[in-house]
Amino acid sequence: MLKKTTSSHWGSYYAKVKNGKLIALEPYEKDLDPSLISEGMIDAIDDDLRIRKPHVRLGWYKDYLKEFKQNEKFALDRKRKKRGNDEFLEISWEEAIEIVSYELERVKTNFSNKSIFAGSYGWASSGRFHHAQSQLHRFFNCYGGYVKSVTTYSYAASETIIPHIVGMSYRKFLDEHTDWESIARNTEVILMFGSLPLKNSQVTSGGVGFHTTRLYLEKCKKNKVKFFNISPTNMEADKLVKADWIKIRPGTDTAFMLALAYILVRENLCDNAFLKKYCSGYDIFKDYLLGNKDGVKKNPKWAKKITGIEEKTFYKIVSSINNKRTLLTGSWSLQRQQYGEQPHWMVVVLAAMLGQIGLPGGGFGLGYSAENGIGNPVKNFKWPALNQFKNNVSDFIPVARYSDMLLNPGKKFTFNGSDYKYPNIKLVYWAGGNPFHHQMDLSKLTKASFKPDTIVTNEIWWNSLARYSDLIFPTSTNLERNDIGFRHWEQTVSPMHRAINPIGESKNDFEIFSLISKKLGFNKKFTENRTEMQWLEFLWIEARNLAKKNNFYLPSFREFWEGSFFEVLQPTHDQILLEDYIKNPESSPLSTPSKKIEIFSKVIDSFNYKDCPGHPSWLEPKEWLGAKIAKKYPLHLISGQPENRLHSQLDNGKHSQKMKVKQREMLKINPLDAKQRNLKNRDIVEVFNDRGACLAGIKISDEVMKGIVYLPVGAWYNPHKNENFCIHGNPNVLTDDIGCSSLSQGPSAHSTLVEIKKWKKDLPKISVFNLPVINKKIK
């Protein structure tokens, strides 16, 4: 039996192989809390849904052949509206490369590179070289450029607002979070806004060496750190640390924090010296807080009507944190809602009022437990990566505006203080991403997907994206290629040895783009005449040189490749967010206009956005439990990350499937809400609003408060009769595709109201795990 080291976004493993078949993934021995997501790979890696050969959509192909013969500039209809339901034709690699090359040249020649969108979300492979996004962008930059996306679905609102407040790029901000060792030793109270989602910490983009979040939470508990969980849910980490659960209406965290701030002012508990020395614009915010301009005092009585929390609870929390080393944490889920910039901004402001930013175990953090790596004790180091070259196309979109881009070419949109126009996209190329998982309002996305002339995808399985594509290249998994496991926020480094041969005729992204670039005449520029192994050695040599400059040792490439997992970059001291600035504000000023923490931002105020004013404010969302529409749709839907897969990856695997209820995604509902609707465990229900509906299986649980339902994202989209009805349980048929605000244009999935009722009709059969109709020859 062979045993190969490998890495994934959810952990490090030894791949066990027998007779060329993967039979097990054994966790790295230093991982004391390994993720079971890996179990899904064992059966999925060679299941019936693997795409084994190149395919072309039949309706697209027939029109393409006519255009090719006549050398047409403009594409015919290509049966675009059959995307998602069409038949496919198996073709050779030679023909597939010929087709995509012709189509790229047609679009570039007749419409320019500004009509090509290259989509990738970076979660395809944890390996450094076979990083799908890097390969895709390098290819298109060699070809003259492409329309790109900026920001993320994970934290778009936060990553747009935080640089305005503390003057850091968001990556640097996350890199420099106060580490868990400092928290466990020094923190006395943690206020968790949105909880600490332990299931999310199974993963880190770029790979996990060994899981640490649960271990550090247990250490905090042992050291008697007091936790408050201000959240509509009480799961995993919240129970582990025995947090006091403050049940809050979703979307009202800003109002809650404003009331706490009000008490701090009225009871003279603010650190005014800190606010004066290290912050800018506090007096303007204070006027708003006290109601000096709008006549509304943001006190606990006011906040009670919004949050549903009793006035005495606000005073209890202030009493609990007074004269205590306190850490405020905000989950990324807080900002995936309408006006999502406000709660994260307010976390910073509230921490500033307490005056403990930059102190061991104090201050704030945004995203602890969202990924395993955030707060990990590790010496920061930037590992070498594949050079993507320069993009000569300046056009871009905020990533969550993908549907709007396809539906509204030429329409204006605002982003971070400037106005732009959506490009006119003719060709979309996806590698390492799935908009049918990430994008809000899948009915709208479906309509948007009918617009481009061509959609090309490098894909492993016949998921929703593959079915809505025109040309599909079969792509290998991380277990079918060689790579290097460099992990940011982690100390572990390892070779990633190919464990099994590629399934069918699948190839890695580097091989695919090498073939296309050869056909288009720039193979030498794209590959630099290096093979896969030569690239790995090249990146390793770069890493060794950088390591030497940063005073740590890496072995020769041969020693490394013949070895296994090992650790580097052990920290020499605790990392504390903004410590240098607090110690030396003159020599280490922030890169904000005021050189200080911006409680009021003149820059943001100058944008004149009604949906994102110059200081954190309570802005009433369109959908929340205090809105009029809540009478029609009285349940607030939270669509968080699943515990049994990464996003939609491996939903076809047994580990994900075994948690389904009658093959539908499981929905958690409070016992009182279930009783009111005469529901019992394992009932199938219809979850619906004006945008769409889906089916889900009930689990009655006290982990969600009354008025809340929890339906994880990631169920493969399985529309039935209409594109806005998913019989499998994908919550994004229900979510609204609107930006958080004019500033970030981020996703606002958590501002969603629904109703549910028991499904009494025959259950439609799940079809997304069946192969589409595939032809060997053209009809």
Side-chain angles (χ1 to χ4, degrees):
M1 183 186 297
L2 295 174
K3 194 174 179 181
K4 304 277 191 174
T5 57
T6 190
S7 175
S8 68
H9 296 297
W10 47 83
S12 296
Y13 302 89
Y14 299 101
K16 291 186 174 182
V17 178
K18 188 175 183 179
N19 298 325
K21 184 176 175 65
L22 179 70
I23 60 170
L25 287 165
E26 180 184 292
Y28 176 33
E29 59 270 16
K30 289 189 178 181
D31 193 346
L32 303 180
D33 185 31
S35 170
L36 293 177
I37 292 176
S38 61
E39 296 296 308
M41 179 63 88
I42 297 167
D43 61 290
I45 196 166
D46 60 353
D47 69 3
D48 291 342
L49 289 168
R50 272 302 294 263
I51 304 173
R52 287 168 162 80
K53 293 185 177 183
H55 289 77
V56 63
R57 187 172 62 81
L58 205 54
W60 184 95
Y61 186 61
K62 290 178 178 179
D63 274 0
Y64 159 79
L65 290 176
K66 295 176 187 175
E67 299 161 19
F68 182 77
K69 288 179 181 179
Q70 299 170 14
N71 196 25
E72 287 283 348
K73 173 182 178 181
F74 297 101
L76 300 175
D77 176 70
R78 297 181 172 181
K79 307 297 185 291
R80 299 161 198 249
K81 292 188 177 180
K82 291 196 74 176
R83 286 180 180 137
N85 290 295
D86 207 350
E87 298 179 15
F88 288 86
L89 176 69
E90 277 187 7
I91 57 176
S92 67
W93 271 100
E94 183 180 9
E95 184 176 11
I97 298 300
E98 181 73 37
I99 290 172
V100 73
S101 300
Y102 174 86
E103 189 63 4
L104 284 167
E105 285 288 87
R106 181 188 71 83
V107 172
K108 179 174 182 173
T109 301
N110 296 312
F111 304 100
S112 87
N113 288 65
K114 292 183 177 182
S115 288
I116 299 172
F117 177 78
S120 180
Y121 203 56
W123 283 96
S125 172
S126 58
R128 199 65 168 184
F129 176 63
H130 290 296
H131 180 240
Q133 189 178 84
S134 298
Q135 295 285 347
L136 177 74
H137 293 172
R138 178 183 174 92
F139 170 81
F140 275 105
N141 286 335
C142 287
Y143 191 55
Y146 62 97
V147 174
K148 67 177 181 180
S149 62
V150 299
T151 70
T152 63
Y153 286 100
S154 297
Y155 45 70
S158 190
E159 70 179 303
T160 308
I161 193 76
I162 286 297
H164 289 287
I165 303 169
V166 298
M168 288 181 174
S169 71
Y170 205 70
R171 174 58 66 182
K172 180 177 172 64
F173 167 70
L174 293 177
D175 286 346
E176 297 188 3
H177 263 49
T178 299
D179 67 49
W180 279 110
E181 286 288 356
S182 177
I183 294 167
R185 282 200 314 272
N186 299 292
T187 306
E188 295 176 274
V189 181
I190 297 180
L191 298 187
M192 305 182 294
F193 292 95
S195 80
L196 290 173
L198 198 57
K199 58 183 171 45
N200 296 26
S201 71
Q202 293 180 93
V203 305
T204 293
S205 57
V208 172
F210 45 90
H211 294 83
T212 56
T213 307
R214 180 189 295 273
L215 305 179
Y216 278 116
L217 287 172
E218 289 174 345
K219 195 171 185 178
C220 289
K221 180 183 174 184
K222 184 179 179 180
N223 291 348
K224 295 183 168 43
V225 178
K226 176 68 177 176
F227 287 81
F228 288 92
N229 176 34
I230 302 105
S231 172
T233 65
N234 195 53
M235 302 180 187
E236 314 163 310
D238 318 319
K239 293 182 176 180
L240 174 67
V241 299
K242 296 184 178 179
D244 281 7
W245 185 14
I246 311 299
K247 300 176 182 179
I248 188 171
R249 284 175 169 174
T252 66
D253 301 85
T254 303
F256 183 91
M257 285 183 269
L258 285 168
L260 295 181
Y262 184 92
I263 297 172
L264 293 178
V265 172
R266 282 305 188 196
E267 297 193 2
N268 198 29
L269 299 175
C270 292
D271 190 330
N272 290 304
F274 182 95
L275 291 167
K276 184 177 181 179
K277 184 175 182 179
Y278 298 106
C279 302
S280 173
Y282 171 67
D283 288 340
I284 297 173
F285 168 76
K286 183 179 176 182
D287 280 346
Y288 165 77
L289 188 68
L290 300 179
N292 293 341
K293 290 187 177 180
D294 60 8
V296 179
K297 297 177 180 179
K298 314 309 181 293
N299 56 26
K301 182 179 180 180
W302 166 83
K304 175 186 175 181
K305 297 176 183 177
I306 297 169
T307 63
I309 295 171
E310 294 297 323
E311 292 180 50
K312 63 182 180 181
T313 302
F314 295 89
Y315 291 96
K316 174 188 174 182
I317 289 180
V318 170
S319 176
S320 298
I321 64 177
N322 187 32
N323 294 319
K324 297 282 180 67
R325 185 58 53 87
T326 302
L327 179 72
L328 277 63
T329 71
S331 69
W332 289 348
S333 61
L334 291 186
Q335 50 85 63
R336 285 198 295 271
Q337 60 181 320
Q338 195 175 13
Y339 315 129
E341 298 86 358
Q342 304 307 309
H344 274 203
W345 195 352
M346 191 59 214
V347 166
V348 182
V349 171
L350 189 58
M353 294 174 74
L354 294 175
Q356 297 179 16
I357 295 173
L359 300 181
F364 68 97
L366 302 173
Y368 284 113
S369 192
E371 293 188 26
N372 180 70
I374 298 175
N376 242 353
V378 62
K379 183 179 178 181
N380 287 319
F381 176 74
K382 187 174 182 180
W383 293 100
L386 186 67
N387 187 348
Q388 297 181 25
F389 300 131
K390 182 183 178 182
N391 187 354
N392 289 322
V393 174
S394 59
D395 291 17
F396 71 92
I397 60 163
V399 67
R401 303 276 63 80
Y402 176 67
S403 295
D404 286 335
M405 173 189 71
L406 297 180
L407 290 167
N408 305 296
K411 184 178 179 181
K412 290 183 179 180
F413 69 93
T414 61
F415 174 72
N416 206 8
S418 297
D419 294 331
Y420 303 92
K421 287 185 179 181
Y422 289 120
N424 185 10
I425 298 299
K426 298 294 181 181
L427 184 145
V428 172
Y429 201 128
W430 280 100
N434 182 1
F436 285 91
H437 162 71
H438 289 290
Q439 193 65 32
M440 310 304 108
D441 193 346
L442 293 183
S443 176
K444 178 180 175 182
L445 174 62
T446 298
K447 294 180 178 68
S449 296
F450 297 153
K451 294 296 183 179
D453 293 348
T454 302
I455 300 176
V456 185
T457 299
N458 294 359
E459 187 51 71
I460 302 169
W461 289 282
W462 281 106
N463 58 21
S464 302
L465 174 60
R467 294 164 197 256
Y468 277 85
S469 300
D470 304 312
L471 185 63
I472 304 109
F473 290 108
T475 312
S476 57
T477 69
N478 62 315
L479 290 162
E480 300 157 52
R481 55 202 185 205
N482 295 306
D483 213 330
I484 297 176
F486 291 142
R487 303 160 179 86
H488 69 276
W489 301 335
E490 304 271 348
Q491 298 177 15
T492 307
V493 178
S494 69
M496 294 171 62
H497 297 126
R498 189 171 83 173
I500 62 172
N501 291 328
I503 301 297
E505 297 179 13
S506 62
K507 299 181 185 295
N508 59 59
D509 296 302
F510 175 66
E511 291 174 314
I512 294 168
F513 291 125
S514 295
L515 289 171
I516 303 172
S517 64
K518 184 176 181 180
K519 184 70 178 179
L520 292 171
F522 57 90
N523 177 265
K524 184 176 180 180
K525 183 177 181 181
F526 177 74
T527 66
E528 297 184 26
N529 291 329
R530 293 192 183 99
T531 63
E532 174 191 70
M533 288 305 297
Q534 287 171 335
W535 268 112
L536 300 190
E537 186 169 5
F538 173 81
L539 290 172
W540 186 257
I541 291 171
E542 276 197 346
R544 285 194 82 196
N545 292 334
L546 289 170
K548 189 175 182 180
K549 293 177 182 178
N550 284 269
N551 301 314
F552 71 96
Y553 173 77
L554 292 177
S556 70
F557 180 72
R558 182 177 178 179
E559 289 177 277
F560 162 72
W561 195 250
E562 292 175 354
S564 185
F565 304 104
F566 65 97
E567 275 69 48
V568 294
L569 300 171
Q570 281 87 357
T572 56
H573 60 276
D574 287 353
Q575 180 169 270
I576 300 168
L577 182 62
L578 294 174
E579 181 183 35
D580 289 346
Y581 167 62
I582 299 304
K583 285 183 175 180
N584 298 291
E586 286 78 24
S587 60
S588 301
L590 300 182
S591 296
T592 58
S594 65
K595 309 299 182 186
K596 298 182 177 183
I597 298 168
E598 304 241 330
I599 293 176
F600 172 82
S601 168
K602 291 181 180 179
V603 172
I604 292 177
D605 188 61
S606 71
F607 297 159
N608 293 314
Y609 293 153
K610 291 182 179 180
D611 52 7
C612 190
H615 56 71
S617 307
W618 160 246
L619 303 173
E620 183 177 351
K622 183 175 71 172
E623 289 187 35
W624 69 298
L625 290 175
K628 289 182 180 179
I629 197 173
K631 293 180 180 179
K632 183 179 181 181
Y633 299 115
L635 298 172
H636 197 119
L637 172 68
I638 296 176
S639 49
Q641 293 299 324
E643 61 183 276
N644 53 353
R645 57 183 178 262
L646 168 57
H647 302 143
S648 63
Q649 291 183 41
L650 301 179
D651 192 35
N652 53 319
K654 288 181 181 178
H655 185 61
S656 180
Q657 290 295 311
K658 70 183 181 183
M659 294 188 71
K660 308 277 185 180
V661 178
K662 299 176 184 176
Q663 297 184 297
R664 324 290 149 160
E665 198 65 23
M666 185 175 67
L667 176 144
K668 291 182 180 180
I669 185 171
N670 182 273
L672 295 175
D673 290 320
K675 184 178 180 180
Q676 183 181 341
R677 293 162 178 81
N678 296 313
L679 300 173
K680 62 181 185 298
N681 275 322
R682 298 189 63 79
D683 277 347
I684 300 299
V685 295
E686 180 182 5
V687 190
F688 62 95
N689 59 21
D690 290 341
R691 286 179 291 275
C694 68
L695 299 183
I698 285 295
K699 180 179 180 180
I700 299 172
S701 173
D702 60 4
E703 293 181 330
V704 295
M705 61 183 271
K706 187 179 186 305
I708 305 300
V709 289
Y710 184 91
L711 181 61
V713 294
W716 284 11
Y717 176 50
N718 195 154
H720 180 71
K721 294 185 179 179
N722 295 301
E723 67 270 6
N724 65 348
F725 179 40
C726 176
I727 59 174
H728 190 204
N730 189 316
N732 277 331
V733 293
L734 302 159
T735 53
D736 199 0
D737 185 22
I738 57 172
C740 294
S741 76
S742 304
L743 184 82
S744 71
Q745 296 290 354
S748 53
H750 292 318
S751 294
T752 301
L753 295 180
V754 300
E755 178 57 289
I756 68 173
K757 62 183 179 182
K758 187 172 181 178
W759 182 260
K760 296 181 180 180
K761 303 175 187 177
D762 290 340
L763 266 180
K765 291 184 178 180
I766 300 295
S767 59
V768 73
F769 298 120
N770 300 329
L771 286 171
V773 177
I774 296 174
N775 299 278
K776 303 289 185 181
K777 296 181 180 180
I778 191 168
K779 295 179 180 179

